[in-house]
Amino acid sequence: MSNLNPGMDAETFDQFIDQLRRYVRDRLIPAERDIIESDCIPPEIIDELREMGLFGITIPEEYGGAGMNISQYTRTIRELAYAMPCFRSIISITIGMFTSAMKNGATEAQRQEWLPKLAAGTITSFGLTEPGSGSDSAGMQTMAVRSSDGGWVLNGTKRYITNAPQAEVALIMARTSKEPLPKNAHVSAFIVPMNTPGVSVGKSDKKMGQAAGHIADIILEDVHLPAEALLGAEEGKGFITAMKSLDNGRLSVAAASIGYAQRALDSALRYATERKAFGEPIANFQLIQQMLADSDIEIYAATTMLEDAARRADAGENVLRKAAAAKVFASEACGRIVDRVVQVYGGAGYLAEYEAERFFRDARVYRIYEGTTQILQLQIAKHMLREFNAGVN
């Protein structure tokens, strides 16, 4: 398998990962309790993430980024996701989805304008989901119509949008045709600065978990945009661009699931070693050991799937099925692992005083992010059947 995307120099990358691992354990994890209580990442930590270059890890060097390939990107997310999920959330849309859309679908002028800003730490949002539609583009209601000056006017509402309260710019999917068109050509993508008149953000939604990782509605009311706001300067490419970006988003969620599952398992190992029952550590009990071993097995399997999908993406393969499969397995495995961790903790696992309860709540959304397990199962099966009927081995 030829490697078309070598990414960052291997030695430099290893040094970066070592630095990131120390930063996560020495700086981010000790800050978690205060962040949970305030439901806010301190501005100084966001500035530190910028200074480390985390917002630009996948952006080519000529635009001010680190030029990591997909394998390095997912490894970085795994390390960062060992800490509470809000740290990944604040950067993941920029490095995974917005940047991917810019690289895959933008004009060179758009790349020159936006990629250096993204690399410097611009917080972004990705506006696809709506109150009445998510993966179903035919149900999308947000409309973009031509204005008299050759620009665009957008109206609609986007729902459950990560980073919406903090975002400085959003990539918004909107219909440019009232009638559904083949290959979702009725949907286009627009670069929308959040300070544009007519753009407003709803109240942050209260969630089951993921403290300090904010989601909210983005409301668009007669939002006037210049012609250059149309991604790629071409109508009808928005949904295709979004779906290509979602491959990276799904790999990011798989990586986040693995990183957080490892954090939860390490917590369970520590607790099982310290907690005693019947005069000995509960880690000596075989059924506790079975839960620990099953969790380690699933993390290994998920990691192997993710690394394979990322390696194939770097080689230029279409990884839609592989990315979906890795995301489904890793997120479902994470759910099983955090459930076992609560069980290892026993009664303490149900108390907010202990971290197992938080792991359980935080992890649940990974099976929903970037396409639910069920949607991705349908997508995988559809492509399997298409290939079978076409005679592809």
Side-chain angles (χ1 to χ4, degrees), residues 141-146 152-155 174-177 188 190:
Q141 297 298 309
T142 298
M143 284 293 304
V145 298
R146 287 281 189 181
W152 297 91
V153 179
L154 272 61
N155 282 280
R175 302 179 77 102
T176 43
S177 170
S188 300
F190 295 87

Side-chain angles (χ1 to χ4, degrees), residues 35-75:
I35 291 173
I36 291 169
E37 291 178 0
S38 66
D39 194 28
C40 180
I41 303 174
E44 58 269 24
I45 287 183
I46 295 178
D47 287 341
E48 290 164 9
L49 299 176
R50 290 187 174 109
E51 290 167 8
M52 291 180 69
L54 284 167
F55 282 86
I57 59 174
T58 59
I59 293 174
E61 292 183 54
E62 60 264 34
Y63 299 102
M68 287 186 188
N69 60 26
I70 302 301
S71 298
Q72 293 168 337
Y73 154 60
T74 55
R75 174 71 188 282

Side-chain angles (χ1 to χ4, degrees), residues 63 65 95 98 102 114 141 176 193 218 231 354 361 367 372 390:
Y63 299 102
I95 62 176
F98 204 113
M102 294 297 294
W114 286 103
Q141 297 298 309
T176 43
I218 295 178
L231 187 72
Y354 295 86
R361 289 185 292 103
R367 292 144 68 184
T372 65

Side-chain angles (χ1 to χ4, degrees), residues 105 173 176 184-189 230-232 234-242:
M173 307 300 138
T176 43
N184 294 295
H186 56 284
V187 180
S188 300
L230 177 64
L231 187 72
E234 186 176 356
E235 291 182 43
K237 299 297 185 182
F239 196 77
I240 295 172
T241 300

Side-chain angles (χ1 to χ4, degrees), residues 64 92 118 127 180 205 207 359:
S92 65
L118 301 179
D205 293 303
K207 308 183 304 300
F359 297 152

